[in-house]
Amino acid sequence: MPTRQFKLGAFLMQTGHHIAAWRHPDAQADAGVNFRHYADLARRAEAAKFDAIFLADAVGVRNRDIPSLSRTARSDNFEPLTLLSALAAVTERIGLIATVSTTYNEPYHVARKFASLDHISGGRSGWNLVTSSGESEAQNFSRAEHMEHATRYARAAEFHDVVLGLWDSWEDDAFVRDRDSGVYFTPEKLHPLHHRGDHFQVRGPLNAARSPQGRPVVVQAGASLAGRELAARTAEVIFVAHQTFDEAQTFYRDIKRRARDLGRDPDHVKIMPGIFPVVGRTQAEAERKFAQLQDLIHPVVGVQLLTNMLGGFDVSGYPVDGPVPDLPETNAGKSRQQLLVDLARRENLSIRDLYLRIAGARGHQQIVGTPQGIADQLQQWFEEEGADGFNIMSPWFPGGLDDFIELVLPELRRRGLFRTEYEGRTLREHLGLPRPPHPAATARAQRLQEQPAPALAASAG
């Protein structure tokens, strides 16, 4: 029986991850602004003992092509921290991870919001640290152009350090709230940040006590060279997209090596690729379910999806049944553009072939098959250094998530690969991550250990 088990996230995206999911007859068409829909999904995932639910986000409508946008369900959705705060009240154990960009936010805001969510949820929050990747976002924040890739990542690295410093503004036991003495907090256990860097000047302290987890879990999603460097230094969980096992294994080993070289425990960096599973009791049933979704894709939507995923390079002027053209370097998501170009070249895919291939998984691994077949692939990636777990991207909601819970999870449990009950109450406990001690408390304890033992008093003669 395996001693290690999967970590599983339920990646919730409105009507589902397939670009045409909203047209599925069993989908909730208004899911993006339907709280009951999200509450129901969160409870289902918690009952199934998922480690966390995960919400992606962008601070803008990414698709600026109105004919395509008018045929997709991606333009009306909740702000993720607002939604997770509400979901915290209707769940008890499942982790709550939200994407918040470092490009168009300020560290103090992010630190305060996630600390608040951690208190509200009893220690279940996680921050997916990303850099924004689209000009549509820049134009919502008084910028004509998107910030350069290298600048975005330099800002993100400093942003992360400021947020962690703010989360450590107070030691765990700083707030004594002693009515008799009139002391609300212990002054020497307050640690203002006084940060002055290239991108930020933040005095602190944060106006929130240290959170139940010490710090919320930090998640990262970049796979470019700059993204890997940032992830190896900062991330406790990495969400990533891979097309092949060789890609997954190479990335996994590279990140674990980088973490080790930085003095980190590699097991404290959990790598969780996205998986888009279409599940059937037979292979034929799975393929019918997938074909039903594919048949709902309008061509203008497919072409625009590919344009967005290729970093904004407009492919609408090229023959849809011709090859994917050579692309200039993008200032948007570099790793995803490269992944898709490599896929097209490797399999000789046309523009139509490529948009059909990514219409569900958007570059993540897509598996259409039986519970046994899906479990086989997940087990291989897990046992052969390709993943520590997976972010499950259901094709449509709620049916796609129900299929995975009802058909795949029993097979994983039969193999001893996934829990039957939660081991703890916090997200860190679910993921097997340590609670970080406060730096000042650690330093104080070390000083006490280094003090010489007092000499024994001479005996009276």
Side-chain angles (χ1 to χ4, degrees):
M1 187 69 69
T3 55
R4 293 171 62 235
Q5 291 187 319
F6 288 175
K7 307 302 176 186
L8 287 180
F11 188 166
L12 306 186
M13 178 176 277
Q14 296 135 308
T15 55
H17 283 269
H18 195 280
I19 194 66
W22 74 274
R23 300 182 66 192
H24 191 286
D26 296 331
Q28 181 74 40
D30 67 346
V33 289
N34 187 317
F35 175 70
R36 288 187 176 86
H37 166 77
Y38 278 104
D40 178 60
L41 294 179
R43 291 189 187 106
R44 291 177 195 226
E46 183 171 64
K49 314 304 177 189
F50 275 73
D51 293 79
I53 56 176
F54 167 63
L55 300 176
D57 191 46
V59 285
V61 176
R62 289 179 174 171
N63 185 348
R64 290 176 291 178
D65 179 74
I66 299 303
S68 171
L69 182 63
S70 70
R71 294 179 177 274
T72 59
R74 295 284 194 265
S75 54
D76 59 338
N77 53 281
F78 290 119
E79 188 283 316
L81 277 167
T82 305
L83 176 56
L84 288 185
S85 294
L87 293 178
V90 297
T91 57
E92 295 182 355
R93 305 288 280 276
I94 196 164
L96 307 166
I97 301 174
T99 297
V100 175
S101 170
T102 60
T103 308
Y104 301 116
N105 283 287
E106 289 291 319
Y108 198 96
H109 289 140
V110 172
R112 187 184 188 197
K113 290 174 182 178
F114 278 101
S116 297
L117 178 60
D118 213 51
H119 282 287
I120 289 169
S121 65
R124 296 187 280 139
S125 76
W127 169 35
N128 181 36
L129 183 164
V130 303
T131 67
S132 291
S133 60
E135 288 192 2
S136 61
E137 296 176 86
Q139 292 164 3
N140 289 333
F141 293 88
S142 305
R143 295 182 64 93
E145 296 180 347
H146 198 31
M147 197 180 297
E148 287 296 322
H149 189 270
T151 303
R152 295 201 307 270
Y153 272 93
R155 175 186 167 96
E158 186 178 337
F159 195 115
H160 164 271
D161 294 346
V162 174
V163 169
L164 261 63
L166 288 169
W167 282 339
D168 287 336
S169 292
W170 308 87
E171 294 184 40
D172 289 307
D173 56 351
F175 288 92
V176 292
R177 302 183 183 94
D178 188 323
R179 289 186 176 91
D180 292 336
S181 67
V183 174
Y184 194 77
F185 70 84
T186 305
E188 57 268 27
K189 296 190 176 182
L190 163 63
H191 303 278
L193 185 59
H194 299 299
H195 174 86
R196 297 182 68 86
D198 293 335
H199 299 275
F200 304 106
Q201 296 181 22
V202 182
R203 186 191 69 177
L206 190 67
N207 56 342
R210 201 161 193 254
S211 72
Q213 293 187 104
R215 300 170 190 152
V217 173
V218 176
V219 183
Q220 219 268 331
S224 65
L225 178 58
R228 292 187 190 206
E229 291 172 351
L230 180 63
R233 185 173 75 84
T234 66
E236 296 170 290
V237 178
I238 300 175
F239 293 153
V240 66
H242 297 303
Q243 279 294 302
T244 69
F245 172 68
D246 287 344
E247 290 174 0
Q249 189 180 66
T250 298
F251 180 87
Y252 185 97
R253 290 174 174 174
D254 180 55
I255 290 293
K256 300 288 185 174
R257 176 191 59 79
R258 289 173 185 267
R260 189 180 296 108
D261 290 347
L262 290 167
R264 300 184 64 194
D265 184 339
D267 193 47
H268 296 162
V269 184
K270 306 295 184 183
I271 297 174
M272 299 175 62
I275 298 291
F276 176 90
V278 184
V279 192
R281 288 175 173 81
T282 66
Q283 185 67 31
E285 181 187 10
E287 290 173 0
R288 282 197 301 272
K289 289 180 179 181
F290 185 56
Q292 180 184 16
L293 286 165
Q294 294 289 82
D295 288 344
L296 298 174
I297 303 170
H298 193 283
V300 71
V301 173
V303 169
Q304 187 60 38
L305 170 67
L306 186 56
T307 291
N308 294 341
M309 298 301 296
L310 290 174
F313 183 86
D314 187 2
V315 295
S316 64
Y318 294 85
V320 72
D321 290 312
V324 175
D326 292 332
L327 305 180
E329 185 176 7
T330 181
N331 186 38
K334 293 180 182 293
S335 62
R336 190 59 56 88
Q337 183 196 65
Q338 190 61 52
L339 181 150
L340 296 181
V341 170
D342 289 347
L343 172 62
R345 300 287 183 260
R346 184 170 60 245
E347 299 189 17
N348 194 30
L349 302 179
S350 67
I351 287 174
R352 188 193 308 275
D353 294 334
L354 188 55
Y355 82 60
L356 286 171
R357 177 68 69 87
I358 68 168
R362 303 186 307 284
H364 293 268
Q365 179 66 201
Q366 179 172 285
I367 317 175
V368 180
T370 64
Q372 294 76 21
I374 292 172
D376 285 345
Q377 179 166 328
L378 300 186
Q379 183 170 4
Q380 181 199 4
W381 284 37
F382 178 65
E383 293 182 343
E384 297 181 20
E385 297 188 330
D388 295 307
F390 303 93
N391 213 12
I392 303 304
M393 304 167 59
S394 300
W396 79 97
F397 290 118
L401 180 62
D402 288 342
D403 284 347
F404 188 86
I405 291 171
E406 294 169 10
L407 299 174
V408 180
L409 285 190
E411 180 64 22
L412 296 178
R413 287 178 172 131
R414 186 184 67 78
R415 303 180 189 197
L417 291 168
F418 190 64
R419 67 167 65 89
T420 57
E421 292 294 340
Y422 286 116
E423 299 86 7
R425 301 198 70 86
T426 70
L427 179 55
R428 288 186 176 278
E429 288 172 327
H430 300 339
L431 295 171
L433 297 172
R435 185 185 190 278
H438 193 284
T442 300
R444 189 163 51 247
Q446 186 173 351
R447 288 195 301 270
L448 288 173
Q449 287 182 345
E450 292 171 352
Q451 287 180 357
L456 293 174
S459 301

